[in-house]
Amino acid sequence: MFSFLKPNPIKQLQKSYESLTTRAFKAQRNGDIRTYSLLTEEAEAVKAKIEAIEAERC
């Protein structure tokens, strides 16, 4: 009934994904490849969650 009041989980996950990719980019530019790979792995996990939620909605 009040579904418009529920927070959109995709927006929150998208924001997290963008933050992780930005941090990974900065780490790569600074030469910290280990941190870059860890952040990229986390970002890929978040992206998989986003895709799963979008597939569930369709």
Side-chain angles (χ1 to χ4, degrees):
M1 181 174 183
F2 291 103
S3 62
F4 65 91
L5 294 176
K6 293 182 182 177
N8 188 354
I10 292 178
K11 283 185 181 180
Q12 184 179 14
L13 288 172
Q14 186 67 30
K15 194 174 203 181
S16 175
Y17 175 75
E18 290 173 4
S19 172
L20 286 168
T21 54
T22 301
R23 288 175 47 205
F25 172 75
K26 289 179 181 178
Q28 183 184 29
R29 295 285 289 175
N30 290 331
D32 191 359
I33 302 303
R34 180 172 291 170
T35 303
Y36 165 74
S37 63
L38 292 173
L39 291 171
T40 302
E41 184 179 354
E42 288 180 37
E44 291 298 322
V46 171
K47 186 175 181 181
K49 288 180 186 178
I50 292 171
E51 290 173 353
I53 291 172
E54 287 177 345
E56 185 179 290
R57 286 186 174 185
C58 292

